[in-house]
Amino acid sequence: MALRKPVLAGNWKMTKGPTETVGFFADFLNAWMPRDDRTVVFFPSDVSLAAALDATADRPDVLLGVQNVHWERSGAFTGETSVGMAADAGAKLVLVGHSERRHVFGETDGETAKKVRAVLDGGLIAVLCVGETIGERRAGDAEAVVRRQLAAVLPVVSAQEVERLVVAYEPVWAIGTGETASPADAGAMHRVCRDALAQAFGREAGDAVPVLYGGSVKPDNAAELLREPGVDGVLVGGASLDPAGFAAICGAAAG
Ligand code: PEP
């Protein structure tokens, strides 16, 4: 799947059960008509994935994913979901290493790498999230942190699998805070990601990996972020919960 056309992705976090999910898609699919010059993705809660799949059954242009997986195939891991189970339930993509997984649940770089490996083994697309905290940025370590997070994972991805990798640069200080990286700062960090991808996979294969920006993207700032060279799309939390607002963000991409 060629994903390096604008990717507009909504991460619903721990919101919207099945009933709200059905209501959301009734409104969103009215407001958003299929376009083949961009890719629209939602990451609902696992318990709402079946409802989302049903609600989008006539809209193959809308892809669905899960927000987290375990790296094991099955077993005594109460509360966890395996890649195989997510795929069976209709997920095509998996978020890995979201800042809330790293900073709220203590997920390490090593665990993030194991999850990416499991996602690729299971045939799905991994959306690898990276980004620095405010302390790391103030200390001048933003680039080093993002390089470290990428270096922990890229070696487990083979050249044949790189087409199933997406990177999302999400500065932790911008997630859910209303603060957004300036387009220039986002562009600079996207170049860091792009360089790491080129080093790992070569320029051509590295260039084919979409690099998304995430962190308080809203209908009124999406267009300028998406205009920044190297920003291939956006990963949106809060503003993806509103059907009209998210449809406006999807429409903001230049295509
Ligand atoms: C996110 O959850 O990945 C995110 C970027 O959230 P928000 O858009 O609310 O900052």
Side-chain angles (χ1 to χ4, degrees):
M1 173 187 318
L3 277 174
R4 204 167 171 200
K5 48 189 178 182
V7 177
L8 300 313
N11 170 20
W12 284 358
K13 313 193 190 207
M14 196 174 72
T15 72
K16 294 198 194 294
T19 307
E20 269 191 79
T21 296
V22 170
F24 174 92
F25 280 114
D27 293 339
F28 178 77
L29 297 177
N30 254 334
W32 181 250
M33 293 302 131
R35 290 181 56 162
D36 56 16
D37 61 347
R38 62 204 62 202
T39 306
V40 173
V41 184
F42 288 92
F43 295 93
S45 151
D46 285 4
V47 298
S48 298
L49 187 58
L53 203 63
D54 241 35
T56 57
D58 294 336
R59 290 289 299 268
D61 59 305
V62 173
L63 302 182
L64 298 172
V66 292
Q67 300 170 15
N68 182 40
V69 286
H70 197 280
W71 56 85
E72 294 288 350
R73 285 168 191 253
S74 68
F77 300 103
T78 300
E80 297 288 329
T81 300
S82 72
V83 177
M85 290 156 61
D88 187 29
K92 300 275 185 271
L93 303 93
V94 182
L95 283 182
V96 183
H98 188 276
S99 77
E100 286 144 23
R101 298 304 316 170
R102 293 177 190 266
H103 296 288
V104 180
F105 297 101
E107 191 169 300
T108 63
D109 286 343
E111 288 167 342
T112 298
K114 286 200 269 188
K115 290 182 180 194
V116 167
R117 194 54 259 148
V119 171
L120 296 173
D121 284 340
L124 301 189
I125 296 170
V127 181
L128 169 66
C129 303
V130 296
E132 80 286 357
T133 63
I134 191 63
E136 291 162 340
R137 173 154 284 261
R138 288 194 180 128
D141 291 338
E143 282 194 30
V145 167
V146 166
R147 282 188 196 282
R148 187 205 77 220
Q149 291 170 334
L150 289 169
V153 173
L154 299 187
V156 310
V157 181
S158 74
Q160 292 70 42
E161 293 165 331
V162 73
E163 61 183 24
R164 285 190 287 117
L165 181 68
V166 176
V167 170
Y169 167 63
E170 297 206 298
V172 180
W173 48 270
I175 296 182
T177 59
E179 271 193 63
T180 315
S182 67
D185 282 347
M189 293 304 289
H190 279 230
R191 280 192 291 282
V192 171
C193 297
R194 184 70 59 207
D195 275 0
L197 289 163
Q199 263 173 26
F201 306 113
R203 182 58 67 187
E204 198 182 332
D207 270 356
V209 176
V211 182
L212 318 185
Y213 169 78
S216 295
V217 175
K218 305 270 183 273
D220 60 4
N221 62 17
E224 62 166 355
L225 285 160
L226 285 159
R227 268 198 302 272
E228 180 67 23
V231 175
D232 301 320
V234 286
L235 178 54
V236 184
S240 71
L241 301 175
D242 171 55
F246 192 60
I249 291 173
C250 294

PDB file of all heavy atoms in Angstrom, residues 190-217:
ATOM      1  N   HIS A 190      11.176  16.466  11.278  1.00  0.00           N
ATOM      2  CA  HIS A 190      10.855  15.488  10.230  1.00  0.00           C
ATOM      3  C   HIS A 190      12.095  15.180   9.397  1.00  0.00           C
ATOM      4  O   HIS A 190      12.284  14.047   8.957  1.00  0.00           O
ATOM      5  CB  HIS A 190       9.704  16.007   9.347  1.00  0.00           C
ATOM      6  CG  HIS A 190       8.366  15.780   9.958  1.00  0.00           C
ATOM      7  ND1 HIS A 190       7.309  15.194   9.288  1.00  0.00           N
ATOM      8  CD2 HIS A 190       7.921  16.028  11.211  1.00  0.00           C
ATOM      9  CE1 HIS A 190       6.275  15.099  10.112  1.00  0.00           C
ATOM     10  NE2 HIS A 190       6.624  15.608  11.275  1.00  0.00           N
ATOM     11  N   ARG A 191      12.971  16.185   9.226  1.00  0.00           N
ATOM     12  CA  ARG A 191      14.219  15.918   8.492  1.00  0.00           C
ATOM     13  C   ARG A 191      15.102  14.952   9.281  1.00  0.00           C
ATOM     14  O   ARG A 191      15.773  14.096   8.703  1.00  0.00           O
ATOM     15  CB  ARG A 191      14.964  17.227   8.197  1.00  0.00           C
ATOM     16  CG  ARG A 191      14.366  17.959   6.984  1.00  0.00           C
ATOM     17  CD  ARG A 191      15.248  19.078   6.504  1.00  0.00           C
ATOM     18  NE  ARG A 191      15.317  20.192   7.440  1.00  0.00           N
ATOM     19  CZ  ARG A 191      14.363  21.116   7.592  1.00  0.00           C
ATOM     20  NH1 ARG A 191      13.261  21.050   6.860  1.00  0.00           N
ATOM     21  NH2 ARG A 191      14.494  22.087   8.464  1.00  0.00           N
ATOM     22  N   VAL A 192      15.089  15.085  10.613  1.00  0.00           N
ATOM     23  CA  VAL A 192      15.850  14.146  11.456  1.00  0.00           C
ATOM     24  C   VAL A 192      15.321  12.716  11.233  1.00  0.00           C
ATOM     25  O   VAL A 192      16.095  11.764  11.054  1.00  0.00           O
ATOM     26  CB  VAL A 192      15.733  14.542  12.949  1.00  0.00           C
ATOM     27  CG1 VAL A 192      16.312  13.473  13.861  1.00  0.00           C
ATOM     28  CG2 VAL A 192      16.411  15.897  13.183  1.00  0.00           C
ATOM     29  N   CYS A 193      13.999  12.582  11.243  1.00  0.00           N
ATOM     30  CA  CYS A 193      13.404  11.248  11.021  1.00  0.00           C
ATOM     31  C   CYS A 193      13.776  10.738   9.639  1.00  0.00           C
ATOM     32  O   CYS A 193      14.157   9.567   9.463  1.00  0.00           O
ATOM     33  CB  CYS A 193      11.877  11.308  11.146  1.00  0.00           C
ATOM     34  SG  CYS A 193      11.301  11.773  12.787  1.00  0.00           S
ATOM     35  N   ARG A 194      13.672  11.608   8.650  1.00  0.00           N
ATOM     36  CA  ARG A 194      13.939  11.210   7.260  1.00  0.00           C
ATOM     37  C   ARG A 194      15.389  10.758   7.109  1.00  0.00           C
ATOM     38  O   ARG A 194      15.675   9.777   6.432  1.00  0.00           O
ATOM     39  CB  ARG A 194      13.618  12.410   6.369  1.00  0.00           C
ATOM     40  CG  ARG A 194      13.723  12.193   4.906  1.00  0.00           C
ATOM     41  CD  ARG A 194      12.659  11.289   4.316  1.00  0.00           C
ATOM     42  NE  ARG A 194      11.311  11.742   4.525  1.00  0.00           N
ATOM     43  CZ  ARG A 194      10.253  10.921   4.575  1.00  0.00           C
ATOM     44  NH1 ARG A 194      10.402   9.612   4.423  1.00  0.00           N
ATOM     45  NH2 ARG A 194       9.045  11.396   4.762  1.00  0.00           N
ATOM     46  N   ASP A 195      16.327  11.478   7.751  1.00  0.00           N
ATOM     47  CA  ASP A 195      17.745  11.102   7.682  1.00  0.00           C
ATOM     48  C   ASP A 195      17.963   9.721   8.287  1.00  0.00           C
ATOM     49  O   ASP A 195      18.697   8.899   7.734  1.00  0.00           O
ATOM     50  CB  ASP A 195      18.600  12.087   8.499  1.00  0.00           C
ATOM     51  CG  ASP A 195      18.941  13.292   7.673  1.00  0.00           C
ATOM     52  OD1 ASP A 195      18.508  13.342   6.507  1.00  0.00           O
ATOM     53  OD2 ASP A 195      19.637  14.176   8.211  1.00  0.00           O
ATOM     54  N   ALA A 196      17.333   9.488   9.456  1.00  0.00           N
ATOM     55  CA  ALA A 196      17.489   8.184  10.116  1.00  0.00           C
ATOM     56  C   ALA A 196      16.926   7.077   9.223  1.00  0.00           C
ATOM     57  O   ALA A 196      17.501   5.988   9.119  1.00  0.00           O
ATOM     58  CB  ALA A 196      16.786   8.188  11.472  1.00  0.00           C
ATOM     59  N   LEU A 197      15.803   7.359   8.557  1.00  0.00           N
ATOM     60  CA  LEU A 197      15.207   6.353   7.670  1.00  0.00           C
ATOM     61  C   LEU A 197      16.123   6.083   6.474  1.00  0.00           C
ATOM     62  O   LEU A 197      16.312   4.933   6.067  1.00  0.00           O
ATOM     63  CB  LEU A 197      13.827   6.835   7.185  1.00  0.00           C
ATOM     64  CG  LEU A 197      12.742   6.832   8.270  1.00  0.00           C
ATOM     65  CD1 LEU A 197      11.542   7.692   7.852  1.00  0.00           C
ATOM     66  CD2 LEU A 197      12.280   5.397   8.551  1.00  0.00           C
ATOM     67  N   ALA A 198      16.709   7.153   5.938  1.00  0.00           N
ATOM     68  CA  ALA A 198      17.611   6.983   4.786  1.00  0.00           C
ATOM     69  C   ALA A 198      18.848   6.196   5.190  1.00  0.00           C
ATOM     70  O   ALA A 198      19.326   5.341   4.444  1.00  0.00           O
ATOM     71  CB  ALA A 198      17.994   8.346   4.223  1.00  0.00           C
ATOM     72  N   GLN A 199      19.365   6.480   6.402  1.00  0.00           N
ATOM     73  CA  GLN A 199      20.544   5.735   6.870  1.00  0.00           C
ATOM     74  C   GLN A 199      20.232   4.249   7.038  1.00  0.00           C
ATOM     75  O   GLN A 199      21.031   3.387   6.728  1.00  0.00           O
ATOM     76  CB  GLN A 199      21.006   6.280   8.209  1.00  0.00           C
ATOM     77  CG  GLN A 199      22.144   7.279   8.046  1.00  0.00           C
ATOM     78  CD  GLN A 199      22.486   7.934   9.362  1.00  0.00           C
ATOM     79  OE1 GLN A 199      22.253   7.361  10.425  1.00  0.00           O
ATOM     80  NE2 GLN A 199      23.040   9.128   9.283  1.00  0.00           N
ATOM     81  N   ALA A 200      19.020   3.978   7.523  1.00  0.00           N
ATOM     82  CA  ALA A 200      18.660   2.584   7.792  1.00  0.00           C
ATOM     83  C   ALA A 200      18.330   1.812   6.518  1.00  0.00           C
ATOM     84  O   ALA A 200      18.651   0.625   6.413  1.00  0.00           O
ATOM     85  CB  ALA A 200      17.477   2.535   8.764  1.00  0.00           C
ATOM     86  N   PHE A 201      17.674   2.472   5.574  1.00  0.00           N
ATOM     87  CA  PHE A 201      17.108   1.717   4.434  1.00  0.00           C
ATOM     88  C   PHE A 201      17.586   2.206   3.067  1.00  0.00           C
ATOM     89  O   PHE A 201      17.153   1.683   2.051  1.00  0.00           O
ATOM     90  CB  PHE A 201      15.569   1.805   4.472  1.00  0.00           C
ATOM     91  CG  PHE A 201      14.975   1.369   5.775  1.00  0.00           C
ATOM     92  CD1 PHE A 201      14.336   2.273   6.614  1.00  0.00           C
ATOM     93  CD2 PHE A 201      15.079   0.040   6.181  1.00  0.00           C
ATOM     94  CE1 PHE A 201      13.806   1.864   7.824  1.00  0.00           C
ATOM     95  CE2 PHE A 201      14.545  -0.370   7.388  1.00  0.00           C
ATOM     96  CZ  PHE A 201      13.916   0.534   8.215  1.00  0.00           C
ATOM     97  N   GLY A 202      18.418   3.246   3.056  1.00  0.00           N
ATOM     98  CA  GLY A 202      18.806   3.854   1.782  1.00  0.00           C
ATOM     99  C   GLY A 202      17.834   4.971   1.454  1.00  0.00           C
ATOM    100  O   GLY A 202      16.700   4.989   1.953  1.00  0.00           O
ATOM    101  N   ARG A 203      18.298   5.886   0.615  1.00  0.00           N
ATOM    102  CA  ARG A 203      17.516   7.107   0.365  1.00  0.00           C
ATOM    103  C   ARG A 203      16.139   6.799  -0.237  1.00  0.00           C
ATOM    104  O   ARG A 203      15.116   7.287   0.227  1.00  0.00           O
ATOM    105  CB  ARG A 203      18.347   8.045  -0.531  1.00  0.00           C
ATOM    106  CG  ARG A 203      17.735   9.375  -0.870  1.00  0.00           C
ATOM    107  CD  ARG A 203      17.368  10.270   0.303  1.00  0.00           C
ATOM    108  NE  ARG A 203      18.469  10.786   1.099  1.00  0.00           N
ATOM    109  CZ  ARG A 203      18.303  11.477   2.250  1.00  0.00           C
ATOM    110  NH1 ARG A 203      17.092  11.704   2.740  1.00  0.00           N
ATOM    111  NH2 ARG A 203      19.334  11.900   2.922  1.00  0.00           N
ATOM    112  N   GLU A 204      16.103   5.931  -1.241  1.00  0.00           N
ATOM    113  CA  GLU A 204      14.830   5.728  -1.952  1.00  0.00           C
ATOM    114  C   GLU A 204      13.776   5.071  -1.052  1.00  0.00           C
ATOM    115  O   GLU A 204      12.645   5.553  -0.936  1.00  0.00           O
ATOM    116  CB  GLU A 204      15.075   4.873  -3.192  1.00  0.00           C
ATOM    117  CG  GLU A 204      13.942   4.978  -4.190  1.00  0.00           C
ATOM    118  CD  GLU A 204      14.181   4.087  -5.398  1.00  0.00           C
ATOM    119  OE1 GLU A 204      15.358   3.825  -5.723  1.00  0.00           O
ATOM    120  OE2 GLU A 204      13.186   3.648  -5.985  1.00  0.00           O
ATOM    121  N   ALA A 205      14.182   3.982  -0.384  1.00  0.00           N
ATOM    122  CA  ALA A 205      13.226   3.277   0.484  1.00  0.00           C
ATOM    123  C   ALA A 205      12.860   4.151   1.682  1.00  0.00           C
ATOM    124  O   ALA A 205      11.692   4.225   2.095  1.00  0.00           O
ATOM    125  CB  ALA A 205      13.814   1.956   0.955  1.00  0.00           C
ATOM    126  N   GLY A 206      13.855   4.862   2.231  1.00  0.00           N
ATOM    127  CA  GLY A 206      13.590   5.735   3.377  1.00  0.00           C
ATOM    128  C   GLY A 206      12.629   6.855   3.012  1.00  0.00           C
ATOM    129  O   GLY A 206      11.752   7.225   3.795  1.00  0.00           O
ATOM    130  N   ASP A 207      12.777   7.370   1.797  1.00  0.00           N
ATOM    131  CA  ASP A 207      11.905   8.460   1.342  1.00  0.00           C
ATOM    132  C   ASP A 207      10.461   8.014   1.158  1.00  0.00           C
ATOM    133  O   ASP A 207       9.553   8.838   1.132  1.00  0.00           O
ATOM    134  CB  ASP A 207      12.423   9.021   0.015  1.00  0.00           C
ATOM    135  CG  ASP A 207      13.401  10.155   0.239  1.00  0.00           C
ATOM    136  OD1 ASP A 207      13.599  10.536   1.413  1.00  0.00           O
ATOM    137  OD2 ASP A 207      13.963  10.645  -0.748  1.00  0.00           O
ATOM    138  N   ALA A 208      10.254   6.716   0.982  1.00  0.00           N
ATOM    139  CA  ALA A 208       8.891   6.231   0.740  1.00  0.00           C
ATOM    140  C   ALA A 208       8.096   6.095   2.042  1.00  0.00           C
ATOM    141  O   ALA A 208       6.880   5.894   2.013  1.00  0.00           O
ATOM    142  CB  ALA A 208       8.947   4.881   0.034  1.00  0.00           C
ATOM    143  N   VAL A 209       8.766   6.214   3.192  1.00  0.00           N
ATOM    144  CA  VAL A 209       8.067   6.049   4.484  1.00  0.00           C
ATOM    145  C   VAL A 209       7.362   7.371   4.841  1.00  0.00           C
ATOM    146  O   VAL A 209       8.025   8.408   4.925  1.00  0.00           O
ATOM    147  CB  VAL A 209       9.062   5.687   5.607  1.00  0.00           C
ATOM    148  CG1 VAL A 209       8.363   5.614   6.964  1.00  0.00           C
ATOM    149  CG2 VAL A 209       9.761   4.374   5.295  1.00  0.00           C
ATOM    150  N   PRO A 210       6.053   7.356   5.034  1.00  0.00           N
ATOM    151  CA  PRO A 210       5.380   8.596   5.433  1.00  0.00           C
ATOM    152  C   PRO A 210       5.805   9.004   6.847  1.00  0.00           C
ATOM    153  O   PRO A 210       5.914   8.155   7.733  1.00  0.00           O
ATOM    154  CB  PRO A 210       3.886   8.228   5.435  1.00  0.00           C
ATOM    155  CG  PRO A 210       3.793   6.898   4.776  1.00  0.00           C
ATOM    156  CD  PRO A 210       5.118   6.231   4.927  1.00  0.00           C
ATOM    157  N   VAL A 211       6.060  10.287   7.038  1.00  0.00           N
ATOM    158  CA  VAL A 211       6.360  10.808   8.375  1.00  0.00           C
ATOM    159  C   VAL A 211       5.261  11.808   8.727  1.00  0.00           C
ATOM    160  O   VAL A 211       5.122  12.861   8.087  1.00  0.00           O
ATOM    161  CB  VAL A 211       7.754  11.461   8.439  1.00  0.00           C
ATOM    162  CG1 VAL A 211       8.041  11.948   9.869  1.00  0.00           C
ATOM    163  CG2 VAL A 211       8.849  10.471   8.010  1.00  0.00           C
ATOM    164  N   LEU A 212       4.474  11.452   9.732  1.00  0.00           N
ATOM    165  CA  LEU A 212       3.333  12.282  10.136  1.00  0.00           C
ATOM    166  C   LEU A 212       3.738  13.181  11.295  1.00  0.00           C
ATOM    167  O   LEU A 212       4.652  12.864  12.047  1.00  0.00           O
ATOM    168  CB  LEU A 212       2.155  11.407  10.585  1.00  0.00           C
ATOM    169  CG  LEU A 212       1.829  10.159   9.754  1.00  0.00           C
ATOM    170  CD1 LEU A 212       0.560   9.496  10.287  1.00  0.00           C
ATOM    171  CD2 LEU A 212       1.677  10.506   8.290  1.00  0.00           C
ATOM    172  N   TYR A 213       2.997  14.282  11.459  1.00  0.00           N
ATOM    173  CA  TYR A 213       3.172  15.133  12.647  1.00  0.00           C
ATOM    174  C   TYR A 213       1.956  14.950  13.550  1.00  0.00           C
ATOM    175  O   TYR A 213       0.808  14.891  13.071  1.00  0.00           O
ATOM    176  CB  TYR A 213       3.297  16.624  12.257  1.00  0.00           C
ATOM    177  CG  TYR A 213       3.193  17.489  13.494  1.00  0.00           C
ATOM    178  CD1 TYR A 213       4.289  17.625  14.346  1.00  0.00           C
ATOM    179  CD2 TYR A 213       1.969  18.063  13.871  1.00  0.00           C
ATOM    180  CE1 TYR A 213       4.178  18.326  15.528  1.00  0.00           C
ATOM    181  CE2 TYR A 213       1.857  18.772  15.056  1.00  0.00           C
ATOM    182  CZ  TYR A 213       2.967  18.905  15.876  1.00  0.00           C
ATOM    183  OH  TYR A 213       2.853  19.590  17.063  1.00  0.00           O
ATOM    184  N   GLY A 214       2.183  14.905  14.855  1.00  0.00           N
ATOM    185  CA  GLY A 214       1.072  14.870  15.804  1.00  0.00           C
ATOM    186  C   GLY A 214       1.353  15.753  16.997  1.00  0.00           C
ATOM    187  O   GLY A 214       2.510  15.847  17.461  1.00  0.00           O
ATOM    188  N   GLY A 215       0.315  16.393  17.502  1.00  0.00           N
ATOM    189  CA  GLY A 215       0.446  17.262  18.675  1.00  0.00           C
ATOM    190  C   GLY A 215      -0.441  18.470  18.518  1.00  0.00           C
ATOM    191  O   GLY A 215      -0.066  19.435  17.855  1.00  0.00           O
ATOM    192  N   SER A 216      -1.670  18.359  19.065  1.00  0.00           N
ATOM    193  CA  SER A 216      -2.624  19.473  19.049  1.00  0.00           C
ATOM    194  C   SER A 216      -2.910  20.001  17.641  1.00  0.00           C
ATOM    195  O   SER A 216      -3.045  21.213  17.448  1.00  0.00           O
ATOM    196  CB  SER A 216      -2.152  20.594  19.980  1.00  0.00           C
ATOM    197  OG  SER A 216      -2.158  20.146  21.329  1.00  0.00           O
ATOM    198  N   VAL A 217      -3.006  19.090  16.697  1.00  0.00           N
ATOM    199  CA  VAL A 217      -3.461  19.500  15.355  1.00  0.00           C
ATOM    200  C   VAL A 217      -4.958  19.777  15.430  1.00  0.00           C
ATOM    201  O   VAL A 217      -5.714  19.012  16.027  1.00  0.00           O
ATOM    202  CB  VAL A 217      -3.171  18.393  14.311  1.00  0.00           C
ATOM    203  CG1 VAL A 217      -3.763  18.763  12.951  1.00  0.00           C
ATOM    204  CG2 VAL A 217      -1.665  18.151  14.209  1.00  0.00           C
TER     205      VAL A 217
END
